Amino acid sequence: LSLESLVKVGIETIGPKVTGTKVSVDKIKFNLLRGEMRLKGFELGNPDGFGTAYAIKTQSFHIKLRPTSLLSAKIIIDEIAIDGVAVNYEQGLTGSNLTEIKANVDAFVKNLPLPKSSAKAESAESSSSDKPASKSGKKLQVNELDINNIKVALAVKGLGNNALPVPVPGIKLTNLGSGPE
């Protein structure tokens, strides 16, 4: 088995446990020495009870980072390019498909076992809301974020699979986190 096929199986096996939905990927490619990953045909399904075909789908996702930055205080991502993004936002009486997916992810993360040092730090942070956020941890810099061919559709749960398309322009951001902090 290749690393790509192991990651694909991991995404399609663990993803549903985290999101509470079907998760699929058509193809993954890695170049670890160059710090690149390409993903084709990602689909995040809807929770049970929602009628649209999926929640989020992308045709392609590409990320390129500087591998040596993984060992430094700041991880530098040179490029994130996402093409062919389709989002179905379906609203129901008690919430939307996306809020339910987020709630599933939050519940999964909450139930993860934390190392003792992390658990102590988390309880100390939650007990004193007056303190500013900790500055420890790695910094992140994204030199270019490019999201193209975005389609968003709005639907109401229970009214069939009819969704109203909403035009969304492409998004291009540069030099995110490029300062010292």
Side-chain angles (χ1 to χ4, degrees), residues 18-61:
V18 174
T19 64
T21 69
K22 179 184 173 204
V23 178
S24 64
V25 177
D26 290 340
K27 190 174 187 180
I28 297 176
K29 287 266 189 205
F30 286 106
N31 186 323
L32 296 176
L33 295 176
R34 288 199 284 179
E36 287 190 70
M37 181 185 81
R38 293 184 187 276
L39 187 142
K40 298 269 186 197
F42 172 81
E43 186 172 312
L44 176 65
N46 266 323
D48 288 339
F50 290 91
T52 51
Y54 55 85
I56 300 171
K57 186 161 67 168
T58 64
Q59 289 177 358
S60 68
F61 173 88

Side-chain angles (χ1 to χ4, degrees), residues 79-91:
E79 176 185 17
I80 298 174
I82 306 170
D83 189 46
V85 178
V87 178
N88 285 320
Y89 178 84
E90 189 173 346
Q91 183 64 50

Side-chain angles (χ1 to χ4, degrees), residues 2-162:
S2 69
L3 178 61
E4 286 98 352
S5 63
L6 288 173
V7 171
K8 180 182 184 320
V9 168
I11 289 171
E12 293 176 344
T13 303
I14 296 169
K17 293 176 183 174
V18 174
T19 64
T21 69
K22 179 184 173 204
V23 178
S24 64
V25 177
D26 290 340
K27 190 174 187 180
I28 297 176
K29 287 266 189 205
F30 286 106
N31 186 323
L32 296 176
L33 295 176
R34 288 199 284 179
E36 287 190 70
M37 181 185 81
R38 293 184 187 276
L39 187 142
K40 298 269 186 197
F42 172 81
E43 186 172 312
L44 176 65
N46 266 323
D48 288 339
F50 290 91
T52 51
Y54 55 85
I56 300 171
K57 186 161 67 168
T58 64
Q59 289 177 358
S60 68
F61 173 88
H62 173 245
I63 185 168
K64 182 175 182 183
L65 64 84
R66 295 183 195 170
T68 56
S69 72
L70 295 171
L71 304 173
S72 68
K74 183 186 269 190
I75 297 172
I76 299 174
I77 298 173
D78 286 317
E79 176 185 17
I80 298 174
I82 306 170
D83 189 46
V85 178
V87 178
N88 285 320
Y89 178 84
E90 189 173 346
Q91 183 64 50
L93 291 175
T94 59
S96 73
N97 58 340
L98 299 180
T99 56
E100 190 168 321
I101 291 169
K102 182 184 179 311
N104 293 342
V105 172
D106 291 345
F108 180 86
V109 170
K110 183 179 179 183
N111 292 322
L112 287 175
L114 292 174
K116 290 184 181 185
S117 61
S118 295
K120 288 178 186 175
E122 185 177 286
S123 66
E125 284 178 18
S126 63
S127 65
S128 67
S129 58
D130 301 349
K131 292 182 182 179
S134 170
K135 298 241 179 191
S136 64
K138 292 200 176 243
K139 310 263 187 280
L140 178 65
Q141 176 177 324
V142 178
N143 292 335
E144 185 175 318
L145 172 64
D146 198 4
I147 306 172
N148 289 302
N149 300 314
I150 305 168
K151 297 176 184 173
V152 175
L154 305 176
V156 176
K157 185 177 175 181
L159 293 182
N161 296 340
N162 298 327

